[in-house]
Amino acid sequence: MNETVQAASKKTWTEAELEALPEDGYIHEVVNGDLIRSPKNNFQDGNIAARHFLALGNHVQQQRLGVVLDSSTGFWMRNRNCRAPDISFISRGRLAGWKPSTRRFFEGAPDLAVEILSPSNARSETDNRLTDFFSSGTQIAWVISPDNACVEVCHSPIARQLFGSGGFLDGERLLPGFRYGIADLFKGWEWD
């Protein structure tokens, strides 16, 4: 469940203020001037994120396509919302002037944003996140629903297609050669 910490008037947050927030077990984002606190992922969501992160990260590294980042990375949207997708990919061409040691939030959205839904996520919240991402540079978003064992592949806030466990996540032109079975996101332990 997301919790909004509101000020008397809309605040313009700086990176320094966001970085100075205590490690309180929440992921912090800024939406329309409000600080939004979301709980960390549960075990299932963390497991899905780790599997997908490893597969995506290995492909991106082998092909030298750019960088894959986790949910602790902040992205400044064009409307000055600060979003943190569960997994994100930024293409090599957009990393000019950036180094692995750069200590700033990324200006703009990732090329690929991956969101893992929690039971508390409202449809309107997901729609607002997608609007921010696509208006700020995202090319593809994958919205993973653990409860329904499916993924919504989005090319805009309205161009969206649902794929079940028989489908694949395809990197398309953004991540050439990347193909990952949706069922693999939700499978049991390797040793079962």
Side-chain angles (χ1 to χ4, degrees), residues 41-42 44-50 52 85-87 114-119 121 142-146 185-186:
N41 287 330
N42 63 42
Q44 178 189 32
D45 294 354
N47 188 43
I48 291 168
H52 193 49
D86 290 308
I87 302 170
V114 180
E115 293 287 327
I116 302 170
L117 298 178
S118 299
N121 289 123
W142 293 333
V143 180
I144 300 170
S145 174
L185 291 170
F186 310 109

Side-chain angles (χ1 to χ4, degrees), residues 24-135:
D24 58 1
Y26 290 91
I27 296 170
H28 299 96
E29 294 184 314
V30 174
V31 179
N32 301 323
D34 294 328
L35 180 65
I36 307 296
R37 298 179 345 150
S38 301
K40 300 281 187 188
N41 287 330
N42 63 42
F43 188 88
Q44 178 189 32
D45 294 354
N47 188 43
I48 291 168
R51 284 180 179 178
H52 193 49
F53 186 89
L54 284 170
L56 190 59
N58 286 336
H59 179 79
V60 166
Q61 185 177 18
Q62 289 169 359
Q63 303 298 316
R64 302 176 59 161
L65 298 173
V67 66
V68 176
L69 302 162
D70 70 6
S71 63
S72 65
T73 307
F75 292 85
W76 287 116
M77 303 292 108
R78 284 198 177 121
N79 60 7
R80 297 315 290 164
N81 285 347
C82 183
R83 298 288 192 176
D86 290 308
I87 302 170
S88 49
F89 163 73
I90 303 171
S91 62
R92 191 169 71 190
R94 292 185 62 209
L95 292 169
W98 288 78
K99 295 180 178 358
S101 61
T102 300
R103 299 183 65 101
R104 298 189 320 252
F105 295 171
F106 195 80
E107 197 66 42
D111 294 291
L112 169 69
V114 180
E115 293 287 327
I116 302 170
L117 298 178
S118 299
S120 64
N121 289 123
R123 178 69 176 196
S124 60
E125 179 186 351
T126 302
D127 291 346
N128 290 338
R129 294 177 75 76
L130 290 173
T131 297
D132 277 358
F133 292 147
F134 284 105
S135 67

Side-chain angles (χ1 to χ4, degrees), residues 153 163-170 179-182 184:
V153 176
F163 292 91
S165 61
F168 291 87
L169 292 174
D170 186 316
R179 186 172 163 89
Y180 192 82
I182 291 172
D184 291 338

